[in-house]
Amino acid sequence: MAGTDTLPAHVDVLISGAGPTGLALGLDLARRGVRALVLERLDRLAPGTRGNGIQPRTQEVYEDFGVLDAVLESGGTYPPRGIWSDGRMIDAQVMVEPGVPTPAAPYSTMLLLPQWRNLEIQYARLTELGGTVAFGTGLDSFTQDADGVAARVTCADGIARTVHASYLVAADGGRSHVRKALGVTMTGQSVAPYPMLVADIRLDGLDREHWHMWGEFRATDFVSLLPPEKYDYFLLMAGFMNAGTEPDTSPDAVRELIAERTHLTLDQLGEVRWASTFRPNAALADRFRAGRVFLAGDAAHVHSPAGGQGLNTSVQDAYNLGWKLGQVIRHGAPDALLDSYEAERRPVAEGILATSTRLHRSGDMRRGSDLHQMGVGYPDGPLATERRTGLADGALRAGNRAPDAPCTTPDGTPRRLFDVFQGPHFTLLAVGDAELPPLDGEMIRTCRVGGPAPDLLDSEGHARDAYGEGLFLVRPDGYVAYAADDASGLPDELARYGMPLAAPSVR
C-alpha cells in the first residue's frame, strides 16, 4: 500500500482502478520489471461476490500469473439449478456443463470464485512481485503530451499530488472517469430496462447443493440464491418488473424482499454483507486508445452478467496489454506495437457483448464450452504472421491460442509446454526437424520438441497433434505470433517486438 509520503512522483504506467483488470495489469507489469502504480479510491479492495465465473482460458492466464493454485483452492463448481414453486423444489437442472480436459486444453470447466476473493489473490501476488496499490487515492484529472501523462491525484488525507507516467490505463469501471475525460463515447444499448439487485447474505433453511431459483431469469420478478462453495453465505440476485423501481439495498429491505418472494422467513435471513444494484447494459468504447491513455475492462466494454464473460474479458484485456507495454517501455519495441491492443481486443469485446446480450434476453441458463473463451484469438490481427502454405482445415495458425501438451525431458521428467511458456518471455518453439536458431536474451527462450537434440520428447505425439511441424514464436500471452517452416523471416518478426536478431543461416 502506498501512502501520501510514499507515493512516487514518476512511474512507467499509472493504472486507475484496483478491480480485476487493474490488479491483473499491475501484477503482469510487476513481473516484467515495469514500474507501475495502481490507484484505488476505496480504502480497501472492493467487497462483494459480483463477477464470479472464472472461465478455462482465464484459468490458463492465472496459471501463467502464478495464482492458479490459490484460485483452485478458493474456488469451486457451480451447483445444479434448483427450481422452486409453492414452497418446494420441483426440478433440478444442470447449469454449468462440465467439460473434459484434453492434453491441449487442461482446464475445461468454469470455476465459481467470489470476486472479492479473486481480488485478494491478485493483490497478494501483485505485492509479492513488488507491485503497489495506493488505496484511498483517486485520479482527479490528467493531461498528456508526447512525453507522457501528468495525473493529479488526491490521497485519503486530502493532499493532492502529481504523478508523472509514460502511460495511463483506465481500469476504473463502466462509469470510467478517465474515459469521460478523454471524450471517448460508448456505443451500445440497454439489454433490459429492468433494475437488478445483488447481495451477499447469510441465511438458514436452504441446502448448499443447488443454485436456488424462484421464477424465470427472463421474467423480471425473480430471485436466485447461489451458495459459493467453501463459503458460508449466498449470493442473491433479484429482478424487478417495474422499470422505474429503484431497489432498496438496505439490509432490512434485502431480507424483506427475499421473504416476500420465497418461502424463507425473516428469522431465517441473517447478515447482509454487501448489496448493490445495476441495470443490464451492453456498450463498447469507440476507441481503446487515445494517445498515451488506454481503456481496459469495463471502462472499455460493459456486459450483462449472463454467461460469465465480463470479468474474464477484462482480465484478458490486461493480459494482452501488459506484455506490449513491457516490450515498449523496457525493450525498445516501437510504439506501434501498442496500437495492436485495440486492433486485437476491441473485436473480441464486440463479439462477447453480443453473446452476453443474447443469453440475457433468451433466459437460457445453461452454460457450455462455447463460453470458455478458448477459441478467442487474433488470426486476422496485425501481429499474426503465417508463412506456411497448404494447411489443413482446423490446423493451428498464427494468431491462435498456443495449445498445451504433456511431454517429458530426455531423462523422463514430465514437463508441459505451459511450463515452458510460463513467465513474461517469448518462446521460440521448434516441433520436429525445423531449424532452431541460437538465441540468447532476457525476453526469449527456445525449446525443441522432438527432432535432433530435443529439449522435450513427445512420445505420445500430443505436441505434434496440436502444432504439426515447424517453427512457432509464442507470445508472452500465449498466442502464436509467427508460424513458419524455417527461420528465414524471424529477424523481421523479432524486431517488431524490440528483439533484434542477426539473420540466421538457413539450410
Side-chain angles (χ1 to χ4, degrees):
M1 181 181 300
T4 302
D5 294 337
T6 60
L7 202 66
H10 297 270
V11 294
D12 294 321
V13 180
L14 187 64
I15 302 166
S16 180
T21 313
L23 293 178
L25 180 59
L27 77 85
D28 197 19
L29 293 174
R31 67 182 185 149
R32 299 177 188 285
V34 175
R35 296 173 304 154
L37 174 65
V38 183
L39 305 178
E40 174 51 55
R41 288 187 182 276
L42 297 178
D43 61 2
R44 60 188 174 118
L45 297 172
T49 296
R50 302 176 189 263
N52 52 72
I54 309 298
Q55 299 289 0
R57 177 55 185 154
T58 305
Q59 293 170 45
E60 294 182 351
V61 174
Y62 281 176
E63 181 178 20
D64 186 32
F65 282 171
V67 301
L68 183 60
D69 287 346
V71 166
L72 294 174
E73 182 180 352
S74 299
T77 58
Y78 282 83
R81 185 167 56 141
I83 310 301
W84 285 82
S85 180
D86 296 327
R88 64 188 183 92
M89 191 184 297
I90 60 173
D91 194 13
Q93 304 170 352
V94 172
M95 170 71 179
V96 175
E97 299 172 355
V100 178
T102 68
Y107 311 112
S108 59
T109 302
M110 181 168 64
L111 292 174
L112 195 171
L113 179 70
Q115 185 167 313
W116 62 264
R117 180 60 186 141
N118 190 350
L119 296 181
E120 289 181 347
I121 292 170
Q122 289 181 308
Y123 177 64
R125 180 60 172 154
L126 183 152
T127 55
E128 179 184 25
L129 292 167
T132 303
V133 177
F135 290 101
T137 304
L139 175 64
D140 297 327
S141 62
F142 64 90
T143 59
Q144 63 169 314
D145 57 28
D147 297 320
V149 177
R152 192 69 171 168
V153 304
T154 300
C155 300
D157 57 11
I159 297 177
R161 295 288 184 89
T162 298
V163 178
H164 297 271
S166 297
Y167 299 96
L168 168 65
V169 179
D172 52 349
R175 299 175 181 176
S176 172
H177 169 70
V178 174
R179 186 189 66 237
K180 292 174 182 177
L182 287 170
V184 174
T185 57
M186 295 279 277
T187 301
Q189 58 185 314
S190 170
V191 175
Y194 309 105
M196 302 184 77
L197 182 147
V198 287
D200 294 341
I201 181 170
R202 291 189 171 97
L203 57 83
D204 297 318
L206 293 177
D207 69 66
R208 300 190 64 84
E209 285 71 51
H210 294 88
W211 184 341
H212 303 275
M213 302 197 73
W214 292 261
E216 288 293 329
F217 182 75
R218 182 165 42 187
T220 54
D221 266 347
F222 77 94
V223 165
S224 77
L225 288 163
L226 168 65
E229 190 177 337
K230 304 175 184 176
Y231 302 92
D232 64 352
Y233 67 90
F234 286 74
L235 168 63
L236 164 71
M237 182 175 289
F240 295 83
M241 186 171 292
N242 185 345
T245 299
E246 294 295 336
D248 188 342
T249 59
S250 68
D252 285 345
V254 170
R255 287 187 284 264
E256 289 169 3
L257 173 69
I258 297 172
E260 289 170 0
R261 297 191 185 182
T262 74
H263 64 277
L264 298 173
T265 60
L266 284 173
D267 61 2
Q268 293 176 300
L269 302 173
E271 177 193 7
V272 178
R273 305 176 61 203
W274 161 84
S276 184
T277 64
F278 70 96
R279 293 176 187 263
N281 292 306
L284 184 67
D286 294 341
R287 291 182 292 160
F288 281 19
R289 180 184 188 184
R292 289 181 169 270
V293 184
F294 297 86
L295 307 179
D298 287 355
H301 44 79
V302 293
H303 312 245
S304 160
Q309 300 295 287
L311 180 148
N312 294 273
T313 305
S314 299
V315 167
Q316 291 170 53
D317 284 350
Y319 197 46
N320 183 287
L321 181 58
W323 72 268
K324 295 172 181 177
L325 286 168
Q327 291 305 120
V328 170
I329 292 168
R330 293 204 62 232
H331 301 284
D335 180 80
L337 177 61
L338 298 175
D339 289 332
S340 69
Y341 166 66
E342 177 176 323
E344 290 184 338
R345 293 304 298 170
R346 195 173 185 278
V348 170
E350 186 173 22
I352 288 173
L353 255 67
T355 296
S356 59
T357 299
R358 172 180 55 81
L359 290 172
H360 188 108
R361 289 176 173 169
S362 73
D364 184 4
M365 298 294 289
R366 292 181 72 88
R367 304 290 180 256
S369 61
D370 56 320
L371 301 177
H372 290 176
Q373 301 199 1
M374 297 294 283
V376 169
Y378 317 112
D380 300 320
L383 302 184
T385 303
E386 178 58 70
R387 295 173 63 91
R388 300 167 299 165
T389 60
L391 295 175
D393 290 344
L396 180 76
R397 286 171 165 76
N400 291 161
R401 165 190 165 274
D404 195 10
C407 301
T408 62
T409 61
D411 67 3
T413 303
R415 187 166 172 79
R416 299 159 53 207
L417 287 186
F418 275 10
D419 296 330
V420 175
F421 301 157
Q422 186 175 20
H425 57 272
F426 287 77
T427 303
L428 186 60
L429 180 70
V431 182
D433 295 330
E435 180 185 7
L436 184 61
L439 296 173
D440 183 20
E442 174 187 0
M443 283 308 302
I444 188 164
R445 299 179 185 175
T446 61
C447 181
R448 175 179 292 285
V449 180
D455 299 297
L456 296 178
L457 302 179
D458 186 29
S459 58
E460 298 183 8
H462 295 307
R464 190 178 298 268
D465 289 345
Y467 287 84
E469 291 196 7
L471 197 64
F472 306 89
L473 181 66
V474 179
R475 298 167 19 167
D477 61 347
Y479 291 90
V480 177
Y482 170 92
D485 296 318
D486 59 51
S488 59
L490 195 58
D492 289 341
E493 184 67 22
L494 293 181
R496 72 198 303 191
Y497 305 117
M499 296 184 293
L501 174 71
S505 60
V506 179
R507 290 191 297 267

